[in-house]
Amino acid sequence: MKTALTIAGSDSSGGAGIQADLKTFQAHGVYGMSAITAVTVQNTQKVFDVQEMTPDIVRGQIRCLFDDIDIHAVKIGMVASIPLIRAIAESLAAVSPPPVVLDPVMISKSGYRLLRQDAQEALVGHLFPLAEVVTPNIFEAEALSGVSIRTVSEMKAAAQRILDLGAKKVVVKGGHLGEARATDVLYDGREFRTLESRWIETKNTHGTGCTFSSAVAANLALGRDFFDAVTRAKAYITGAIEHALDIGKGYGPTHHFYDLYARAGM
C-alpha cells in the first residue's frame, strides 16, 4: 500500500487540517500518517485558540516516521512560525523526501493574513526548494508573486514568478477569482494548463484547500504525474464540495467520502 504523511495543524471540528488530509488519503486508498504542527480550538464558526507544537516535537514526529516507514508523498499545511518552518525543512532535507506538496497557508479565503511577512519569507526560503508542488489560492499567489490577479493570464504570470522563487511546479487555485467557473492554472516550468469546474453554490467549503492539496499528494503517492495528479484532485474536490455536509452552525466541511458512499448505495 502507498503511504503519505501530512505535516499540518489539527482542526478539532474535523473539516480541515490533518483530519481532512487523513480522510482524503484514505479516500484515495493511501495509508495516511501525521506530524502535528499545532492544535487549534475551532468549530465550524471560528477559530478560538491555537497552540503550536515545539520544533523538537515536530522534528521528532517526522524523523521517527521516516526511520520506520517508506513514505511515498508528503503534504505540508499550516506552519505558522519560523522555528517550525526550519524544523520541517531540516527534517525533510535529512531524508531525501518523496514528492512534497506545499499548501502555503498564508491568507484565508476571505483575504485575512495568517502568516507574518518574516515567516512568509522563511517559508519560501526553506520549504519551496523542497516542494514538488505549491498550491496557493489567489490571495496567496498575489502575496508571493506581487502580481495583482484579476484574470487567468495574470494567474499565469503569478505562477511563473512563484516558480522563480524555487518551486518546481505550481497550481494557482482560482476558486476566488469571481468568475462563473472555478479555473485553476497549472505550470510545470514548461507548459501551462488550465482546469475548469462548475461553480457550486454552497457555504459549506471548510477545508477545501487542505483537501485539494492532500488529494494531489495522494495521487503523487500513487505514482501519477503532476498534471494527472492535479486533474484527479480537482475532480475529487469538486465532488466533495458538491456533496458538502451541512454540519454545525457555520461553514460545514466537504464530504471526503462522497463517492465511496455513492458506490455503497448510501
Side-chain angles (χ1 to χ4, degrees), residues 101-166:
V101 178
L102 174 60
D103 181 14
V105 182
M106 296 162 38
I107 301 175
S108 71
K109 287 191 277 288
S110 62
Y112 181 76
R113 176 168 280 277
L114 304 170
L115 196 67
R116 296 193 316 270
Q117 183 63 38
D118 58 348
Q120 176 183 317
E121 292 168 1
L123 187 81
V124 170
H126 293 287
L127 294 181
F128 270 44
L130 295 171
E132 182 71 17
V133 183
V134 180
T135 62
N137 63 30
I138 288 288
F139 302 115
E140 291 157 348
E142 287 182 327
L144 288 165
S145 67
V147 174
S148 178
I149 300 174
R150 299 294 180 272
T151 65
V152 171
S153 63
E154 289 166 346
M155 291 172 69
K156 291 180 178 179
Q160 177 63 68
R161 292 199 185 181
I162 293 168
L163 205 79
D164 293 341
L165 293 174

